[in-house]
Amino acid sequence: MCRLYFADIYQENIIMIVVLKANADEQKQAQLIKWLENKGVRVNIAVGEYQNVLGLIGKTENMDAALIESMEIVESVKRVSESFKRANRKFHPDDTVVEVGNVKIGGGHFAIMAGPCSVESEEQIVSVAKSVKAAGAVMLRGGAFKPRTSPYDFQGLKDEGLKLLKIARQETGLPIVTEIMNLADIHLFDDIDVLQVGARNMQNFDLLKELGKTDKPILLKRGLANTLKELLMSAEYIMANGNNNVILCERGIRTYSDYTRNTLDLSAVPMLRELTHLPIVVDPSHATGIAKLVPPMSMAAAACGADGLIIEVHNDPIHALCDGAQSLRPEEFAALVPKINAVRMAAL
Amino acid sequence: MCRLYFADIYQENIIMIVVLKANADEQKQAQLIKWLENKGVRVNIAVGEYQNVLGLIGKTENMDAALIESMEIVESVKRVSESFKRANRKFHPDDTVVEVGNVKIGGGHFAIMAGPCSVESEEQIVSVAKSVKAAGAVMLRGGAFKPRTSPYDFQGLKDEGLKLLKIARQETGLPIVTEIMNLADIHLFDDIDVLQVGARNMQNFDLLKELGKTDKPILLKRGLANTLKELLMSAEYIMANGNNNVILCERGIRTYSDYTRNTLDLSAVPMLRELTHLPIVVDPSHATGIAKLVPPMSMAAAACGADGLIIEVHNDPIHALCDGAQSLRPEEFAALVPKINAVRMAAL
Amino acid sequence: MCRLYFADIYQENIIMIVVLKANADEQKQAQLIKWLENKGVRVNIAVGEYQNVLGLIGKTENMDAALIESMEIVESVKRVSESFKRANRKFHPDDTVVEVGNVKIGGGHFAIMAGPCSVESEEQIVSVAKSVKAAGAVMLRGGAFKPRTSPYDFQGLKDEGLKLLKIARQETGLPIVTEIMNLADIHLFDDIDVLQVGARNMQNFDLLKELGKTDKPILLKRGLANTLKELLMSAEYIMANGNNNVILCERGIRTYSDYTRNTLDLSAVPMLRELTHLPIVVDPSHATGIAKLVPPMSMAAAACGADGLIIEVHNDPIHALCDGAQSLRPEEFAALVPKINAVRMAAL
Amino acid sequence: MCRLYFADIYQENIIMIVVLKANADEQKQAQLIKWLENKGVRVNIAVGEYQNVLGLIGKTENMDAALIESMEIVESVKRVSESFKRANRKFHPDDTVVEVGNVKIGGGHFAIMAGPCSVESEEQIVSVAKSVKAAGAVMLRGGAFKPRTSPYDFQGLKDEGLKLLKIARQETGLPIVTEIMNLADIHLFDDIDVLQVGARNMQNFDLLKELGKTDKPILLKRGLANTLKELLMSAEYIMANGNNNVILCERGIRTYSDYTRNTLDLSAVPMLRELTHLPIVVDPSHATGIAKLVPPMSMAAAACGADGLIIEVHNDPIHALCDGAQSLRPEEFAALVPKINAVRMAAL
């Protein structure tokens, strides 16, 4: 019986398998093995009648699989294990609980964050904050810096918006969650409770690194067309820089959906639960873009095990005619919260 | 004040808007209007300072928008209303309730269908049927004709499989749901309760027409990359041929998901609820391809308002070592049903 | 040095790798190996310090990887080689040349097929046939049976359309290509030169099998959201039933493109060239849906090595005002053909 | 005959159409019109027998269509014209020619940029620069700051890499193109010729704004799952801040492709040509991820009208065994350039 001595995958070593072409030139095979060993991996050869297979041991997370696959004598390359480590449940079986003031999220603690898409005025944000607190939200969300597809759209109140959020926090005691778009602004967020990274910045790696150097809880939204693995690798950027307080957020992916803005990928919730120990929240407002779909999708998220929700709630007497394409009115939100909790308890 | 006399959209007439280019040649405009009128629509002109807009009235569902858009003087074309009618909730506000023997589905009636992916033997199908009935399923599912990507994969027991399903029905009283792939086989399904159209056949229009001529309930699965509108248009094919017993099924769409087989688009459930009066069921087994994700996604489907579920359950003592990539074992299914019901009640 | 004796992948045997979990229960491992051997594969064990890897030898194309992956002690499963065989260039290195009368396609033979989307009248089809022949087309395309999303849209002239196509063939000598939607119609196509399988029927497996029993050249269009492997597996259905005259057709896939109807995946052309020996043609008309994009994309297809093109050309004096959203006029087509040929020669 | 007085779409005004529901409450309609007028648009009403349509005139690019659509009395909202202006060919019919030193791109000027994925050493970059210049490249590309999915992957030589690029420029006279990931680094790029914005940063709006304040040519890559409109809106961010030197780059989008890394959307080239006056280049190396596909896709890009190409070329005697998964070797690049030029001339 042959033996491939695989080093401890629970520590450091990642395994990669390189399948060589049938009847590969022996000299080139020797060159390849030497080249691999120079890269710092151990190579174990399984010799077949017609073709050989190499098992690589060591820090293969840095090896470029596509590059190896392009070599003349190589048929294919497979990674055996995942390249994310700090975020990986395999290596950290216990749920991470992120604490924001008195609020806990993850590990059985469920948290609802609510508030308007944009901070518009003191009156608006304080009023909404009071409403959502009364209804059962434990954090206040609201955008001060707004990423907008068009340069001609409203870009947010910026630092003025941050000030208004803090006033609302003072009035209600609710910790605040708001988006940071730019690492040059990081000093403005010193007194913010949870920093959100938006979908469009999920792979803004320099921003992630910088946030990794803080000790702030980070709400990391999944990008428009990013895989779960890429989301976890972005969490890894933050964690590799020292900050383990990462909350993942599923907010819909881009597909060929014709009615909803995006497609809410709810199966990401139980799947991420298997893959990682980090808390997972769901944003049904941005995912669907339609207020009427927010209650059913909020309940569905609770039913499949989300650790929290981030919901848009708007309360604006000036714009009484409309209620925001995707925002709930405070009374709709108040009616929804007990149902979310009831569904969650039923699904446990 | 100008007037566009729009005919009754609630009866027959569908409105289309044709925006002409600025300063379009007048003679060509006249030609276009004549051509449109020859097609049987009424044309109403809104004359602008720089560009004109035509409002088309009548049976515009047959007009080719892309063709009109390609004309030299046309800027763009927009359809104002949907081209599906029989399936459209606007024209039929009340929920359709599909009846299968004593079982009702839709309009507040919730139904769980369960059974193995493939019918393998009398012993297997009868055993599973008894288990799922005891656990609360009201219909038995099982594949006799199997669509497989590879011609070298098992293609099902075919008519022999249908016979075994009928034996299981006799033993348990459960109505049976099974897939028809080919209209030439339709005589074999005379005594089948619900005929399933698989995702790959959602736009096999000749099959849909033929099923429209029967009075059987049809379980119509959404195609791999089809929009909700296309799903409703395929339902319309069945209904336009006289059969209104259509049950829609969301079973996951193809995206760039890296862990799950497909992406279960649960927001399709409340969205379809708005668009159509037909019952909507969810297949969490095919959508995820992973047994562990079936319970959370089943509960999520119930939470967002599905009218039923179709779940794979397998019971095979010979293959005791494995339990099917996406199938629940009978005891797992039995534990799940009361939770689905509890979640459903909590979400009402 | 350990040895995995891999049987001849160039004959029959397909290799699959099963990575077991670290410290997997030994008894369960023995059970798994026995179960695999009962399935008819040979199992070779590579024992690691912490985890073992199984190499499966034999007819693993029938093994269900997802099912094995679901087993408690299994970490992951990888297929080493492709499950398509008859279509695979590895096993048949020489290009297949499909012959349609005097026309050859593949293996260096380039063929342009042209004609209207739908056959409308004898006058129309004969006129277009003469135009495209004069311009350099070597086959006539035209739809008699039309797959339409809406049941209310024109469904084609059906058998009457086939008769008109034959008249056009008689007048010009051009072989004809037309779509078959339904295996029950197959007797109507006895005298048709090339049978087209549309994108929506790419996985209508019963139709593919039936076409595999004929000796007709089959133009197999890639489905809306199907992978190259799935396209090749559908070709395999035809070939496994005895018919090797398969022409593959890239016609655009569904993405989030906002201006074009679909996204023409031209890199499929050189990629399929590597994977298979079958001829590959491109349909720029359906892919883009915009006549203006047909010339540049036709030239691009020729530049990257397509074996042919299928282009919509329309000539309708009655509808002179419009020229079809995606159809070229005969004079546009005539101007394009020499440029396609010049680009093709420059790229060789 | 009614009249909608549309203001000059060629100047400032953008038209939006709001279709009201049948029999909408009159008071609410009056409120809506007042609210719209307060937003600064003029409203023109087309009254129908059953439902009315509003035509909005003025700066509707700032109106939130989804919000209006959510109002109780609104059926649907359509924008008639595009919300990008500076990048829009309608308003600037002549091609923009971007000048980089003596090199021109756009308006009939074709430019090939080539070089390694990453700058590794002086010897490497100078050697590759000389090779690609000799072969016909007119700009040198090379990454100093590297966006990597994993924090454990090589992140580039950073400012040291920029220095090496400048040495290569001095040795060859080739202007240099390299990626900027972070606006805090902008001072390091003072002496760089063309600044590249990578796909992951296409919607890093703060970075785009900052680049808009420079006068540097910007190579803006299309994001992984972004539409053409979003790409043009990102160009608009740069242009709205004063910098019109924007070069657009198609580099493949994420789909369900199974063999290539991404799907190169070549029809974007002629489509963007219609929509914008900006130059358009294609990156076949990142799009496919496979060196063998780079030559056919480069020729295809030239055939459909691209203004340039950006191609990876690698020359590394130390890694002679491999040639980079997607990089051409200098001799392959040298063989390709004349074919690209020949194809381009044939397609004109």
Side-chain angles (χ1 to χ4, degrees):
Chain A
M1 187 178 282
C2 73
R3 291 183 159 261
L4 295 177
Y5 285 98
F6 293 151
D8 188 1
I9 168 170
Y10 285 89
Q11 311 267 330
E12 276 296 84
N13 294 295
I14 306 289
I15 295 158
M16 196 182 241
I17 287 172
V18 178
V19 181
L20 302 185
K21 284 189 183 153
N23 303 314
D25 181 87
E26 292 213 359
Q27 203 176 336
K28 287 188 176 172
Q29 178 181 308
Q31 276 182 286
L32 170 60
I33 291 169
K34 194 164 178 193
W35 180 82
L36 288 165
E37 287 172 346
N38 284 341
K39 292 276 184 185
V41 296
R42 280 186 20 237
V43 180
N44 198 307
I45 315 169
V47 178
E49 218 170 320
Y50 293 88
Q51 65 183 159
N52 300 344
V53 174
L54 308 181
L56 309 194
I57 296 143
K59 299 212 171 197
T60 58
E61 71 268 26
N62 297 331
M63 305 288 292
D64 185 339
L67 185 139
I68 298 172
E69 207 158 77
S70 74
M71 296 177 189
E72 193 194 324
I73 60 167
V74 174
E75 167 103 16
S76 65
V77 176
K78 321 261 177 194
R79 278 187 198 280
V80 172
S81 53
E82 301 301 349
S83 43
F84 53 96
K85 292 189 282 190
R86 287 174 178 80
N88 200 328
R89 187 178 284 279
K90 260 192 218 158
F91 312 137
H92 308 88
D94 291 341
D95 285 344
T96 285
V97 179
V98 172
E99 299 192 29
V100 185
N102 295 325
V103 177
K104 290 179 180 179
I105 183 159
H109 302 275
F110 186 82
I112 299 180
M113 312 166 202
C117 185
S118 295
V119 180
E120 294 170 21
S121 68
E122 180 176 332
E123 189 192 1
Q124 172 235 25
I125 191 67
V126 171
S127 159
V128 175
K130 287 180 177 169
S131 303
V132 300
K133 186 184 182 185
V138 296
M139 284 192 242
L140 175 65
R141 57 145 296 159
F145 292 85
K146 300 294 303 170
R148 303 299 304 260
T149 302
S150 167
Y152 309 121
D153 285 347
F154 175 57
Q155 311 270 321
L157 292 180
K158 302 187 178 175
D159 43 352
E160 178 62 20
L162 296 180
K163 278 182 211 152
L164 300 179
L165 280 167
K166 290 177 205 168
I167 293 172
R169 178 175 60 189
Q170 207 171 352
E171 296 282 321
T172 59
L174 293 181
I176 50 189
V177 188
T178 195
E179 178 163 354
I180 181 168
M181 287 174 61
N182 181 344
L183 59 88
D185 294 336
I186 203 161
H187 62 283
L188 299 170
F189 288 76
D190 275 350
D191 192 25
I192 299 299
D193 303 290
V194 178
L195 276 57
Q196 176 180 313
V197 177
R200 294 179 185 79
N201 273 323
M202 191 198 93
Q203 294 193 315
N204 181 337
F205 301 119
D206 282 337
L207 177 60
L208 299 177
K209 283 179 198 169
E210 209 61 31
L211 295 174
K213 293 173 193 160
T214 74
D215 60 356
K216 296 280 186 195
I218 308 299
L219 183 80
L220 177 65
K221 290 197 152 188
R222 180 179 179 186
L224 203 60
N226 286 109
T227 60
L228 299 187
K229 186 178 164 189
E230 287 168 346
L231 173 61
L232 291 168
M233 292 307 299
S234 285
E236 196 83 12
Y237 259 98
I238 299 168
M239 300 171 86
N241 282 279
N243 183 354
N244 290 316
N245 292 310
V246 180
I247 303 165
L248 304 174
C249 181
E250 162 61 31
R251 43 76 72 205
I253 56 172
R254 178 165 277 178
T255 67
Y256 22 76
S257 60
D258 48 349
Y259 286 98
T260 52
R261 184 195 296 155
N262 295 298
T263 296
L264 181 60
D265 177 14
L266 274 188
S267 65
V269 175
M271 194 70 237
L272 284 170
R273 183 74 67 226
E274 296 288 316
L275 296 169
T276 185
H277 50 88
L278 296 172
I280 305 147
V281 304
V282 170
D283 177 345
S285 307
H286 282 86
T288 63
I290 300 173
K292 233 182 269 192
L293 300 192
V294 170
M297 299 322 290
S298 296
M299 292 188 282
C304 68
D307 296 302
L309 287 158
I310 177 159
I311 296 179
E312 279 193 21
V313 178
H314 196 265
N315 174 21
D316 190 357
I318 299 170
H319 302 84
L321 189 67
C322 70
D323 43 83
Q326 69 196 31
S327 291
L328 296 185
R329 287 190 301 264
E331 61 272 26
E332 291 169 326
F333 178 70
L336 175 60
V337 172
K339 297 184 78 172
I340 292 171
N341 289 328
V343 165
R344 192 176 158 257
M345 298 317 293
L348 280 183
Chain B
M1 185 178 282
C2 73
R3 289 184 161 259
L4 292 178
Y5 285 98
F6 293 151
D8 190 1
I9 167 170
Y10 284 90
Q11 310 266 332
E12 276 296 87
N13 294 296
I14 305 291
I15 295 158
M16 197 184 239
I17 287 172
V18 178
V19 181
L20 301 185
K21 284 189 182 153
N23 303 315
D25 180 84
E26 292 213 359
Q27 202 177 336
K28 286 188 178 174
Q29 178 180 310
Q31 276 181 286
L32 169 60
I33 290 169
K34 194 164 176 193
W35 180 81
L36 288 165
E37 288 173 345
N38 283 339
K39 291 276 184 188
V41 297
R42 284 191 12 241
V43 180
N44 198 309
I45 315 168
V47 178
E49 216 170 323
Y50 293 89
Q51 65 184 158
N52 299 345
V53 174
L54 309 181
L56 309 195
I57 296 145
K59 300 211 171 197
T60 60
E61 70 269 27
N62 298 330
M63 306 287 294
D64 184 340
L67 185 139
I68 298 171
E69 208 159 74
S70 74
M71 296 178 191
E72 194 195 324
I73 61 169
V74 174
E75 169 103 14
S76 65
V77 176
K78 319 264 178 194
R79 278 186 198 279
V80 172
S81 52
E82 299 303 349
S83 42
F84 53 96
K85 290 188 283 188
R86 287 175 178 81
N88 199 327
R89 186 180 284 281
K90 262 192 216 157
F91 312 136
H92 308 87
D94 292 341
D95 285 344
T96 285
V97 179
V98 173
E99 300 191 29
V100 185
N102 295 324
V103 177
K104 291 179 181 178
I105 184 159
H109 302 276
F110 186 81
I112 300 180
M113 312 166 205
C117 186
S118 296
V119 180
E120 293 170 21
S121 67
E122 180 177 334
E123 190 191 0
Q124 172 236 24
I125 191 69
V126 171
S127 158
V128 174
K130 287 180 175 168
S131 302
V132 300
K133 186 185 182 184
V138 295
M139 283 192 242
L140 175 65
R141 58 145 295 160
F145 292 84
K146 301 294 304 169
R148 304 298 303 262
T149 303
S150 166
Y152 310 121
D153 284 348
F154 175 56
Q155 311 271 322
L157 292 182
K158 304 188 177 174
D159 42 353
E160 178 62 22
L162 296 181
K163 278 181 210 155
L164 300 179
L165 281 168
K166 290 178 205 170
I167 293 172
R169 177 176 61 188
Q170 206 171 352
E171 295 282 323
T172 59
L174 292 180
I176 50 188
V177 189
T178 195
E179 178 164 355
I180 181 167
M181 288 174 61
N182 179 346
L183 60 88
D185 294 336
I186 203 160
H187 62 284
L188 298 171
F189 288 75
D190 275 350
D191 192 27
I192 298 299
D193 303 290
V194 179
L195 276 58
Q196 175 180 314
V197 176
R200 294 179 185 79
N201 272 322
M202 192 199 91
Q203 294 193 314
N204 181 338
F205 301 119
D206 281 337
L207 177 60
L208 300 176
K209 283 179 198 170
E210 209 62 29
L211 295 174
K213 294 173 194 161
T214 74
D215 59 356
K216 296 281 185 194
I218 308 297
L219 183 81
L220 178 65
K221 291 196 149 186
R222 180 179 179 186
L224 203 59
N226 286 110
T227 61
L228 299 187
K229 186 179 164 189
E230 287 168 345
L231 173 60
L232 291 168
M233 291 309 298
S234 286
E236 196 82 11
Y237 259 98
I238 299 169
M239 299 170 87
N241 282 278
N243 184 355
N244 290 316
N245 292 309
V246 180
I247 303 164
L248 305 173
C249 181
E250 161 62 31
R251 44 74 74 203
I253 55 173
R254 178 166 278 178
T255 68
Y256 22 75
S257 60
D258 49 349
Y259 286 98
T260 52
R261 184 195 297 156
N262 295 297
T263 296
L264 182 60
D265 177 13
L266 274 189
S267 66
V269 175
M271 193 68 236
L272 285 169
R273 183 73 69 226
E274 295 289 316
L275 296 169
T276 185
H277 50 88
L278 296 172
I280 307 148
V281 304
V282 170
D283 176 347
S285 307
H286 282 86
T288 62
I290 299 173
K292 234 184 266 192
L293 301 191
V294 171
M297 300 322 290
S298 296
M299 292 188 284
C304 68
D307 296 302
L309 287 159
I310 178 160
I311 297 178
E312 278 193 21
V313 177
H314 197 265
N315 174 22
D316 190 355
I318 299 169
H319 304 85
L321 189 68
C322 71
D323 42 82
Q326 68 196 32
S327 291
L328 297 185
R329 286 191 301 263
E331 61 273 23
E332 292 169 326
F333 178 70
L336 175 60
V337 172
K339 298 184 76 173
I340 291 171
N341 288 328
V343 165
R344 194 177 156 255
M345 297 318 293
L348 280 184
Chain C
M1 184 179 285
C2 73
R3 291 182 160 260
L4 294 177
Y5 285 99
F6 294 150
D8 188 1
I9 167 170
Y10 285 90
Q11 310 265 332
E12 276 297 84
N13 295 296
I14 304 291
I15 295 158
M16 197 183 239
I17 287 172
V18 178
V19 181
L20 301 184
K21 285 187 182 152
N23 304 315
D25 180 86
E26 292 213 358
Q27 203 177 336
K28 286 190 177 170
Q29 178 181 310
Q31 275 181 286
L32 169 59
I33 291 168
K34 194 165 177 192
W35 179 82
L36 288 165
E37 288 173 345
N38 283 339
K39 291 275 183 188
V41 296
R42 284 189 16 238
V43 180
N44 197 309
I45 315 168
V47 178
E49 215 171 324
Y50 293 88
Q51 66 183 158
N52 300 345
V53 174
L54 308 181
L56 309 194
I57 296 145
K59 300 211 171 196
T60 59
E61 70 268 27
N62 297 330
M63 306 286 294
D64 185 340
L67 185 140
I68 297 171
E69 207 159 77
S70 74
M71 296 177 190
E72 194 194 324
I73 60 168
V74 174
E75 170 102 14
S76 65
V77 176
K78 319 261 179 197
R79 279 188 197 277
V80 173
S81 52
E82 301 301 349
S83 42
F84 53 96
K85 292 189 283 190
R86 286 175 179 80
N88 199 327
R89 187 179 284 281
K90 259 190 218 159
F91 311 138
H92 309 87
D94 292 340
D95 285 344
T96 286
V97 179
V98 173
E99 299 191 29
V100 185
N102 294 325
V103 177
K104 291 180 180 177
I105 184 160
H109 302 276
F110 186 81
I112 300 180
M113 311 167 206
C117 186
S118 296
V119 180
E120 294 170 21
S121 67
E122 181 177 332
E123 190 193 357
Q124 172 235 23
I125 192 68
V126 170
S127 158
V128 174
K130 287 180 176 169
S131 303
V132 300
K133 186 184 181 185
V138 295
M139 281 192 245
L140 174 66
R141 59 144 295 159
F145 293 85
K146 300 294 304 171
R148 303 300 303 261
T149 302
S150 166
Y152 310 121
D153 285 348
F154 175 55
Q155 311 271 320
L157 292 181
K158 303 189 179 173
D159 41 352
E160 178 61 22
L162 296 182
K163 277 181 212 153
L164 300 180
L165 280 167
K166 289 178 206 168
I167 293 172
R169 176 176 60 189
Q170 206 171 352
E171 295 281 321
T172 59
L174 292 180
I176 51 189
V177 188
T178 195
E179 179 164 354
I180 181 167
M181 288 175 61
N182 179 345
L183 60 86
D185 294 335
I186 203 160
H187 62 284
L188 298 171
F189 288 76
D190 275 349
D191 191 27
I192 298 299
D193 303 290
V194 179
L195 276 58
Q196 176 179 315
V197 176
R200 295 178 184 80
N201 273 322
M202 192 199 92
Q203 293 192 316
N204 181 337
F205 301 120
D206 282 336
L207 178 60
L208 299 176
K209 282 179 199 169
E210 209 61 30
L211 295 175
K213 294 175 194 158
T214 72
D215 60 357
K216 296 280 185 195
I218 308 299
L219 183 80
L220 177 65
K221 290 195 151 188
R222 181 178 178 186
L224 205 58
N226 286 108
T227 61
L228 299 187
K229 186 179 164 188
E230 288 168 345
L231 173 61
L232 291 169
M233 292 308 298
S234 286
E236 196 82 12
Y237 259 98
I238 299 169
M239 299 170 86
N241 282 278
N243 184 354
N244 290 317
N245 292 308
V246 180
I247 302 165
L248 304 173
C249 181
E250 162 62 30
R251 46 74 74 203
I253 56 173
R254 178 165 277 179
T255 69
Y256 22 76
S257 59
D258 49 350
Y259 287 98
T260 51
R261 184 194 297 155
N262 295 297
T263 296
L264 182 60
D265 178 13
L266 274 189
S267 66
V269 175
M271 193 69 237
L272 285 169
R273 183 73 67 224
E274 296 289 316
L275 296 168
T276 185
H277 50 89
L278 296 172
I280 306 148
V281 304
V282 169
D283 177 346
S285 307
H286 281 86
T288 62
I290 300 172
K292 234 184 266 192
L293 300 191
V294 171
M297 300 321 290
S298 296
M299 291 188 285
C304 67
D307 296 302
L309 287 159
I310 178 161
I311 296 178
E312 278 193 21
V313 177
H314 196 265
N315 173 23
D316 190 354
I318 299 169
H319 303 83
L321 190 68
C322 69
D323 41 82
Q326 68 197 30
S327 292
L328 296 185
R329 286 191 301 264
E331 61 273 24
E332 292 170 327
F333 177 71
L336 175 60
V337 173
K339 297 183 78 172
I340 292 171
N341 288 328
V343 165
R344 191 174 158 257
M345 297 318 293
L348 280 184
Chain D
M1 187 178 280
C2 73
R3 292 184 159 261
L4 295 177
Y5 285 97
F6 294 151
D8 189 1
I9 167 171
Y10 286 89
Q11 310 266 330
E12 274 297 86
N13 295 295
I14 305 289
I15 295 159
M16 197 184 241
I17 286 173
V18 178
V19 181
L20 301 184
K21 285 189 183 153
N23 304 314
D25 181 85
E26 292 214 358
Q27 204 177 335
K28 287 191 175 169
Q29 179 182 308
Q31 277 182 286
L32 170 60
I33 291 169
K34 195 165 177 193
W35 180 82
L36 288 166
E37 288 172 346
N38 284 339
K39 292 276 184 185
V41 296
R42 283 187 17 239
V43 180
N44 197 309
I45 314 168
V47 178
E49 214 170 322
Y50 293 88
Q51 65 183 158
N52 299 345
V53 175
L54 309 180
L56 310 194
I57 296 145
K59 299 212 172 197
T60 59
E61 70 269 27
N62 297 330
M63 306 287 294
D64 185 338
L67 186 138
I68 297 171
E69 207 158 76
S70 74
M71 296 177 189
E72 193 194 325
I73 61 167
V74 174
E75 168 102 14
S76 65
V77 177
K78 320 260 176 194
R79 279 186 197 279
V80 172
S81 52
E82 300 302 348
S83 42
F84 52 97
K85 291 190 281 190
R86 287 174 178 80
N88 199 328
R89 186 178 285 279
K90 262 192 217 158
F91 311 137
H92 308 86
D94 291 340
D95 285 344
T96 285
V97 179
V98 173
E99 299 191 30
V100 186
N102 295 325
V103 176
K104 292 180 179 177
I105 184 159
H109 302 276
F110 185 83
I112 300 180
M113 313 168 203
C117 186
S118 297
V119 180
E120 294 170 22
S121 68
E122 181 177 332
E123 189 193 0
Q124 173 235 23
I125 192 68
V126 171
S127 158
V128 174
K130 287 180 176 168
S131 302
V132 300
K133 186 185 181 185
V138 294
M139 282 192 243
L140 175 66
R141 57 145 295 160
F145 292 85
K146 300 295 304 171
R148 303 300 302 259
T149 302
S150 166
Y152 310 122
D153 285 347
F154 174 57
Q155 311 270 321
L157 292 181
K158 301 186 178 175
D159 42 352
E160 178 61 22
L162 296 180
K163 278 181 212 155
L164 300 181
L165 280 168
K166 291 178 205 168
I167 293 171
R169 176 175 61 188
Q170 206 169 353
E171 295 281 322
T172 58
L174 292 180
I176 50 188
V177 188
T178 194
E179 178 163 354
I180 180 166
M181 287 175 61
N182 180 345
L183 60 87
D185 294 335
I186 203 160
H187 62 283
L188 299 172
F189 288 75
D190 276 349
D191 192 25
I192 299 299
D193 303 288
V194 179
L195 276 57
Q196 176 179 314
V197 176
R200 294 179 186 79
N201 273 323
M202 192 199 91
Q203 294 193 315
N204 182 338
F205 301 119
D206 282 336
L207 177 60
L208 299 177
K209 283 179 198 169
E210 209 62 30
L211 295 175
K213 294 173 194 159
T214 73
D215 59 357
K216 295 281 186 195
I218 308 298
L219 183 80
L220 177 65
K221 290 196 153 190
R222 180 179 179 185
L224 203 58
N226 287 109
T227 60
L228 298 187
K229 185 178 164 188
E230 287 167 346
L231 173 61
L232 291 168
M233 292 307 299
S234 285
E236 196 82 11
Y237 260 99
I238 299 169
M239 298 170 87
N241 281 279
N243 184 354
N244 290 316
N245 292 308
V246 180
I247 302 165
L248 305 173
C249 181
E250 160 63 30
R251 44 74 74 204
I253 55 174
R254 178 166 279 179
T255 68
Y256 21 75
S257 60
D258 49 350
Y259 286 98
T260 52
R261 185 196 295 155
N262 296 296
T263 296
L264 181 61
D265 178 12
L266 274 190
S267 64
V269 175
M271 194 70 237
L272 285 169
R273 183 74 68 224
E274 296 289 316
L275 296 168
T276 185
H277 50 88
L278 296 172
I280 307 147
V281 303
V282 170
D283 177 345
S285 307
H286 282 86
T288 62
I290 300 173
K292 233 184 268 194
L293 300 191
V294 171
M297 300 322 290
S298 296
M299 292 188 283
C304 67
D307 296 303
L309 288 159
I310 178 160
I311 296 178
E312 279 194 20
V313 177
H314 196 265
N315 175 21
D316 191 353
I318 299 168
H319 303 84
L321 190 66
C322 70
D323 42 82
Q326 69 197 31
S327 292
L328 296 184
R329 287 191 301 263
E331 62 273 23
E332 291 170 326
F333 178 70
L336 175 60
V337 173
K339 297 183 77 172
I340 292 171
N341 289 329
V343 165
R344 193 177 157 256
M345 297 317 293
L348 280 184

